[in-house]
Amino acid sequence: MSGNGLSYSEQGGEAAPELGQEAATTTTPSIPAAFGLFCSDIKKNEDLKQMLESSKDSAKLDAMKRIVGMVAKGKNASELFPAVVKNVASKNIEIKKLVYVYLMRYAEEQQDLALLSISTFQRALKDPNQLIRASALRVLSSIRVPIIVPIMMLAIKEASSDLSPYVRKNAAHAIQKLYSLDPEQKEMLIEVIEKLLKDRSTLVAGSVVMAFEEVCPERIDLIHKNYRKLCNLLVDVEEWGQVVIIHMLTRYARTQFVSPWKVVEEYSEKNFYESDEEQKEKDQKVKDTYTMDPDHRLLLQNTKPLLQSRNAAVVMAVSQLYWHLAPKSEAGIVSKSLVRLLRSNREVQYIVLQNIATMSIQRKGMFEPYLKSFYVRSTDPTMIKTLKLEILTNLANEANISTLLREFQTYVKSQDKQFAAATIQAIGRCATNITEVTDTCLNGLVCLLSNKDEIVVAESVVVIKKLLQTQPAHHGEIIKHMAKLLDNITVPVARASILWLIGEYCERVPKIAPDVLRKTAKSFTNEDDLVKLQILNLGAKLYLTNSKQTKLLTQYVLNLGKYDQSYDIRDRTRFIRQLIVPNEKSGALSKYAKKIFLAQKPAPLLESPFKDRDHFQLGTLSHTLNTQATGYLELSDWPEVAPDPSVRNVEIAESVPDSFGGFTCLLSSFFLICSDSEDTEKKKKGISKKITTSNSSDTESASSEESSSDSKSESDSKSDSEPGKSRCTTSSKVTTQVSVPTKTHELLHRMSGKGLAAHYHFSRQPGIFGDRMVSVQVTVTNTTDHKIENIHIEEKKLPSGMRMHEFSPIECLEPAGSVTVSVGIDFCDSTQMASFQLCTKDDCFNVSIQPPVGELLLPVTMSEKDFKKEQGMLTGMNETSTAIPVAPQNSTRLVVIEKLVKAANLGVVPSGQDNIHRFAAKTVHSGSLVLVTVELKESSTAQLVINTEKTVIGSVLLRELKPVLSQG
């Protein structure tokens, strides 16, 4: 054993050369080399202990890096705990961070030593650095000692009000640990959960919902006021938080909304005396019976984009939500995303295929277009092959069965015998479900009886037996053929199946059945128990139907069974003897022996093993295991009548003092940034002054910005919290557009619009319909030879938060006439499509407007000094850059400016350098600053840099501007 308590094998083979080398250099000549191998770790750890006790921070930092490296490699560093914990109060922030990383790993194992430092952890909860505060809370909650429960409770309460969303997130994690340690704290923890559920930070949302699910999943009332907020924040929450929230909202929706699957059954056929108009009215009433709750629709709309997530768990979560909550006509949109996941690793494939197998039983149409995606590859593991085969069998129908049977013929020849056997079962299910191919499948299975592989033959016999039970009268020849194979088949289940068939239909093969009994009686003592039972049954049936030939033979078999070693065989023998051989002790059942043994048996149902799994929620462990797992929360049935939807309404305070609430999160981030600077007080006063003069729309914008920016740790919090700071400090203002694009986009083609054509372009006119709306000019043209009346907008299908100001209806448009109208759309700084219906008096057409990201901007003018100042505050995660080739004709200042302002609505910033061009803008909806820099290099290349608080907009804008300068 080495000094740290690990054996050589536990340390891993890679460590061996290193240990040997150290032994060679550290051991003295008097110590054997072999001993040096075992003592090297002791000396290495002693060296680390000495470094940790050094007065130099550099030595301590180096030691902590090495120790954390050991932990990361899975090596045991627990014996260093006393030496490490001494440095928890170090003034060096880098050392302190690494110490807390170590303590989070070992605090639970070394609880006694950790308790000695509990006062230090409590002090760290007040540390200016949010990472230290969060780490201290994590270490504190890892000490699983009941005596510190009150301390943990107090720490969690304080952390839940922390200015940093990262600390609040860790408070939510600590709730679950404290609840598992002391469930009696539940009521107090629910108060903290209720408080954190109101948090608008995307970083906190997933963690607090996880705490809710662990501590009080039955308290649905806590979700009511936060439901819409969670739906709207969902797209910005980190991936694992999305999974937790989606599963919780699925359960919530099943208790609050009525079923979208409800079929109206009160529909009667048309009465003879009923007019057509009356019938139309009745039909309309039937259609209008169900109207989806707007909150139900909000959930479906906001989860739909997540089907494009790179995280398989998120896609699976959204898929199960649509399966359990969406109208059946809409659930099909998840199929393409699920099929995409089949390109992932085998573990992901296994879970996804299991869920598709369950879905494909009830709704075949969802996956029929992707039939070929489920074809088996030779490289697939058996578990994947079997699931794909299951899905193919579920999707089989009259149209594709011939294709599938050809595919199955290949699978039967597989070297994977388990998969080949499963294929034979699949063929049997197809034969049962699709009557047109029953005979074809049966003949194919009979051909497999001559296969050299015993397992294939055995499985074929079992399936044929089940198929013959459905129509035995027509297949006497097959039974005879199988009887002849009995001498060569050795697999017990196959032999038992053949004997059962011969016994069940012994009257149809009167010459063969007695001979089979004679042969099997000879080998009775060597047969498997399963086969012996069927030999006894065969003897009993022949005794009742053909006793003249088989009476003595049956008695011989019964005598063999009487002295068999198996209890089951002896019991069956006694039962059969008393039932079929009459004597004075025979009971009343003897006269019914023939009816008992030769009763008509119902044909077996060849069903999918996934048939009954749908009562478990898709995507859960219980569904995977097909048994209820610990902690599984069942989905409730849809309520007959929806509960009061007003419980989800949130009152919005309008009084002036309440405007501080909108800036709470913004201030938190701002003060967090300034906590270490000398002019903190000055900045606080500046912000306070700004608050008193801000209007309600600014407040809403600021709180909205903070909600999306909270999802980062301290280093990222700085950059993501800058929107408020830049608005307060920068002398910038919106200017008029430099260029108006002439490019038009087709909104409605004249063929699709039955003669009505529509095009649109972005006019870049700010503030026509509101400060946050993008102005769009729509030109409508009548290409028919008759008037088109009442052209208007209907049924706007906008993503959550998006608004639209429609144009006034056009009463009449003459033939060949054209008219241009304006609409305003608040795209919420997103390039998502605004979908709506463009309608006339007689028709409605589905259309959509999708903006380039450059049209979501307003040009801003500022000085070069202010530009550089703002750019300096928007670095790191908020900076996107790339090198691009520049066409020679695009290298002059005028051309660069002309091309960029044409591609995006940017303002030109003066530049003192000929090769550097600067542009500034802000987003229309939130006012977030966007800074663009183009630096021309000597080698016909340019560095394109975009700095913005909206990182998504930055990356999309970069893609749009990239080809502008490279094209001629």
Side-chain angles (χ1 to χ4, degrees), residues 719-942:
S719 57
D720 278 352
S721 302
E722 293 299 332
K725 191 173 180 182
S726 62
R727 284 177 184 163
C728 298
T729 60
T730 303
S731 57
S732 61
K733 61 180 181 180
V734 176
T735 182
T736 56
Q737 69 274 15
V738 180
S739 172
V740 178
T742 56
K743 182 181 179 181
T744 61
H745 310 268
E746 186 176 74
L747 183 66
L748 179 65
H749 191 272
R750 61 184 180 85
M751 298 297 290
S752 304
K754 298 182 180 179
L756 180 68
H759 292 77
Y760 68 92
H761 75 278
F762 297 91
S763 62
R764 294 187 178 175
Q765 295 292 331
I768 295 179
F769 302 104
D771 291 341
R772 298 185 176 191
M773 287 199 171
V774 176
S775 178
V776 185
Q777 299 285 333
V778 180
T779 302
V780 185
T781 306
N782 182 359
T783 64
T784 67
D785 55 2
H786 58 270
K787 293 180 181 179
I788 299 179
E789 298 180 349
N790 191 22
I791 303 172
H792 62 283
I793 288 175
E794 269 187 20
E795 200 172 326
K796 293 175 281 191
K797 301 175 182 177
L798 306 176
S800 175
M802 198 178 285
R803 296 178 296 125
M804 183 175 183
H805 187 287
E806 58 197 60
F807 60 83
S808 301
I810 302 169
E811 294 183 2
C812 180
L813 190 60
E814 298 293 333
S818 181
V819 64
T820 299
V821 292
S822 294
V823 297
I825 305 175
D826 180 359
F827 287 103
C828 296
D829 293 346
S830 165
T831 55
Q832 291 188 72
M833 291 188 296
S835 300
F836 55 94
Q837 287 188 336
L838 186 62
C839 300
T840 64
K841 181 181 177 182
D842 303 314
D843 297 291
C844 282
F845 311 101
N846 292 321
V847 295
S848 58
I849 294 176
Q850 184 169 24
V853 73
E855 303 304 331
L856 302 176
L857 307 176
L858 291 174
V860 167
T861 180
M862 62 172 66
S863 66
E864 185 176 9
K865 180 181 177 181
D866 285 336
F867 183 97
K868 291 179 178 179
K869 181 181 177 183
E870 290 294 341
Q871 191 177 41
M873 293 188 290
L874 292 171
T875 55
M877 294 287 287
N878 293 324
E879 182 173 287
T880 312
S881 64
T882 185
I884 55 174
V886 178
Q889 62 270 34
N890 295 340
S891 58
T892 64
R893 178 174 178 78
L894 289 177
V895 174
V896 170
I897 293 174
E898 179 190 354
K899 284 187 170 291
L900 260 68
V901 298
K902 188 176 180 181
N905 196 12
L906 300 170
V908 181
V909 176
S911 176
Q913 297 155 285
D914 293 337
N915 66 320
I916 298 180
H917 312 289
R918 298 182 174 92
F919 306 86
K922 72 174 187 177
T923 58
V924 176
H925 175 81
S926 61
S928 300
L929 208 56
V930 179
L931 307 176
V932 179
T933 307
V934 179
E935 183 179 357
L936 298 174
K937 306 286 187 180
E938 294 180 358
S939 55
S940 298
T941 60

Side-chain angles (χ1 to χ4, degrees), residues 1 11 31 78 90 155 169 182 222 329 339 376 387 403-404 461 613 665 736 768 790 820 845 873 880 919 922 934:
M1 296 294 284
Q11 291 173 353
I31 301 175
S78 59
S90 173
K169 175 188 178 75
D182 185 6
L222 299 180
S329 58
V339 170
V376 174
L387 284 170
T403 305
L404 288 181
V461 168
R613 287 202 188 194
C665 295
T736 56
I768 295 179
N790 191 22
T820 299
F845 311 101
M873 293 188 290
T880 312
F919 306 86
K922 72 174 187 177
V934 179

Side-chain angles (χ1 to χ4, degrees), residues 7 102 105 247 448 499 531 594 596 642 708 755 795 805 891:
S7 66
Y102 175 89
R105 167 65 180 83
H247 278 281
L448 290 177
L499 291 171
V531 181
K594 195 166 186 178
I596 292 172
S708 63
E795 200 172 326
H805 187 287
S891 58

